[in-house]
Amino acid sequence: MEPVEYLEELPETDEPAWILGRQHHLKTEKPKLLSDISARLWFTYRRKFSPIGGTGPSSDAGWGCMLRCGQMMLAQALICCHLGRDWHWEEYKKQPEEYHRILHCFLDRKDCCYSIHQMAQMGVGEGKSIGEWFGPNTVAQVLKKLALFDEWNSLAVYVSMDNTVVIEDIKYLCSLYTGNELIYLDPHTTQVFVDSEDDGTVDDRSFHCQQAPHRMKIMNLDPSVALGFFCKEEKDFDNWCSLVQKEIHKQQSLRMFELVQKHPPHWPPFIPPTKPEVTTTGAELIESTDKLFELEEEFEILSV
């Protein structure tokens, strides 16, 4: 299918569309825009996977949307880390080994580190029953804890408290927008569970959105959101801090979050997360997370 066949829903406008920091001109670069969108890993509801916890649900339809959004956010970070921002996916084209390793991290199996099984069961330690809807903060806390067991990527995941990003804490830890609209990938589509083949390959066509992207007015966005930023090196983080201070904080009277240099003295001490002492991995580990981890603070809800 040619891109022009399913791009007619995008508006004819002189305003650029921004996809993860890249600018596209809608009048002249629609195929390029769609190619950029289809390269993102798209995680949606799935059905017919193995029951979570052995006896739990075999579909996340109706409750797993926020978990899928968290998977998409983290998957994009891994793509930037291993493949770079310029990498693009093409159907039936041979992809690098790193791509397949990333995709395997999110398959709907209990032995995959960021699977719906691991996230749902890790959520029990956050006070969420399996099959219960997660908020953005709960998803962020769950991913932070699961990352401790991801030896391949060695991610340092920082979750802000009270809508405040503390620069020194992050440095210690680490020693889609167009006009007034947002372009987004919607997880509220139920697809059949996809497993890897005997040779380890995965039919990845359903993990990439090859249709007109969803759009919404930015004022219709739910204010309860989690923003994710990936910084590969310290200089990337320094550049991000400068950009936030220059472009966001100086131009907005009502800020989504604060950026401070030092750890606020009235906060509890910053303690980087550490991997618990365990003798097993997989479902057995997740079942005991209520004893391994402390509950985290929820994000502050701002009223406008």
Side-chain angles (χ1 to χ4, degrees):
M1 180 181 293
E2 293 295 326
V4 293
E5 294 183 30
Y6 49 90
L7 275 171
E8 296 178 353
E9 296 181 24
L10 290 174
E12 292 291 338
T13 175
D14 292 327
E15 294 188 7
W18 291 88
I19 305 295
L20 299 171
R22 294 292 171 86
Q23 178 178 285
H24 302 280
H25 296 282
L26 292 177
K27 283 189 174 181
T28 60
E29 298 179 324
K30 284 187 178 180
K32 184 179 177 181
L33 169 65
L34 183 70
S35 175
D36 199 2
I37 294 173
S38 65
R40 307 310 120 214
L41 281 171
W42 180 39
F43 298 120
T44 71
Y45 294 147
R46 294 278 176 172
R47 56 187 174 86
K48 296 186 177 181
F49 49 69
S50 61
I52 298 176
T55 59
S58 57
S59 172
D60 64 313
W63 60 271
C65 53
M66 196 66 71
L67 283 76
R68 298 301 187 179
C69 289
Q71 288 180 326
M72 285 189 273
M73 182 183 295
L74 186 59
Q76 179 59 28
L78 298 185
I79 286 176
C80 288
C81 179
H82 295 288
L83 302 175
R85 179 62 182 86
D86 294 327
W87 171 83
H88 284 283
W89 175 85
E90 293 182 22
E91 188 174 2
Y92 302 119
K93 180 181 178 180
K94 182 177 176 60
Q95 297 296 338
E97 175 62 26
E98 291 84 356
Y99 166 77
H100 296 288
R101 290 193 68 177
I102 292 171
L103 187 57
H104 274 79
C105 290
F106 299 93
L107 294 182
D108 297 323
R109 301 182 347 193
K110 67 179 182 179
D111 59 342
C112 296
C113 56
Y114 301 114
S115 67
I116 194 76
H117 297 68
Q118 295 283 15
M119 293 184 69
Q121 292 186 280
M122 182 67 82
V124 174
E126 295 291 323
K128 297 291 185 180
S129 301
I130 294 177
E132 184 178 356
W133 182 85
F134 284 23
N137 182 57
T138 303
V139 170
Q141 300 294 350
V142 164
L143 290 176
K144 180 179 73 172
K145 292 171 180 177
L146 287 177
L148 298 172
F149 302 94
D150 181 5
E151 297 181 356
W152 175 47
N153 293 294
S154 299
L155 293 174
V157 179
Y158 174 85
V159 181
S160 68
M161 188 173 73
D162 293 338
N163 303 314
T164 302
V165 177
V166 183
I167 295 175
E168 72 169 355
D169 289 350
I170 293 178
K171 292 200 171 187
Y172 178 55
L173 176 64
C174 297
S175 303
L176 299 134
Y177 171 70
T178 171
N180 64 347
E181 291 187 337
L182 293 172
I183 294 175
Y184 66 98
L185 297 179
D186 189 354
H188 301 89
T189 297
T190 303
Q191 303 186 85
V192 176
F193 158 67
V194 174
D195 201 352
S196 57
E197 304 294 340
D198 292 339
D199 61 359
T201 61
V202 176
D203 183 352
D204 63 350
R205 288 172 294 173
S206 66
F207 291 99
H208 295 272
C209 184
Q210 303 179 68
Q211 58 193 23
H214 287 275
R215 294 155 45 215
M216 67 181 297
K217 298 294 184 181
I218 194 169
M219 294 304 296
N220 294 333
L221 181 67
D222 191 317
S224 178
V225 297
L227 301 178
F229 303 92
F230 172 71
C231 302
K232 188 173 184 178
E233 300 174 343
E234 184 174 355
K235 66 178 182 179
D236 297 328
F237 176 63
D238 291 337
N239 290 336
W240 177 84
C241 292
S242 298
L243 179 64
V244 169
Q245 293 167 335
K246 178 181 178 181
E247 301 295 337
I248 299 180
H249 282 181
K250 288 186 178 180
Q251 298 183 19
Q252 296 183 0
S253 57
L254 183 62
R255 303 173 180 178
M256 292 187 69
F257 60 90
E258 297 292 333
L259 181 65
V260 299
Q261 186 70 41
K262 295 294 184 179
H263 191 91
H266 61 281
W267 280 15
F270 175 71
I271 303 176
T274 57
K275 186 176 180 180
E277 293 294 332
V278 294
T279 58
T280 184
T281 58
E284 297 85 353
L285 165 67
I286 301 304
E287 290 173 357
S288 62
T289 55
D290 55 333
K291 298 179 180 179
L292 297 176
F293 302 111
E294 295 180 357
L295 295 179
E296 300 287 348
E297 294 287 337
E298 289 290 327
F299 282 137
E300 176 186 0
I301 299 178
L302 299 178
S303 58
V304 179

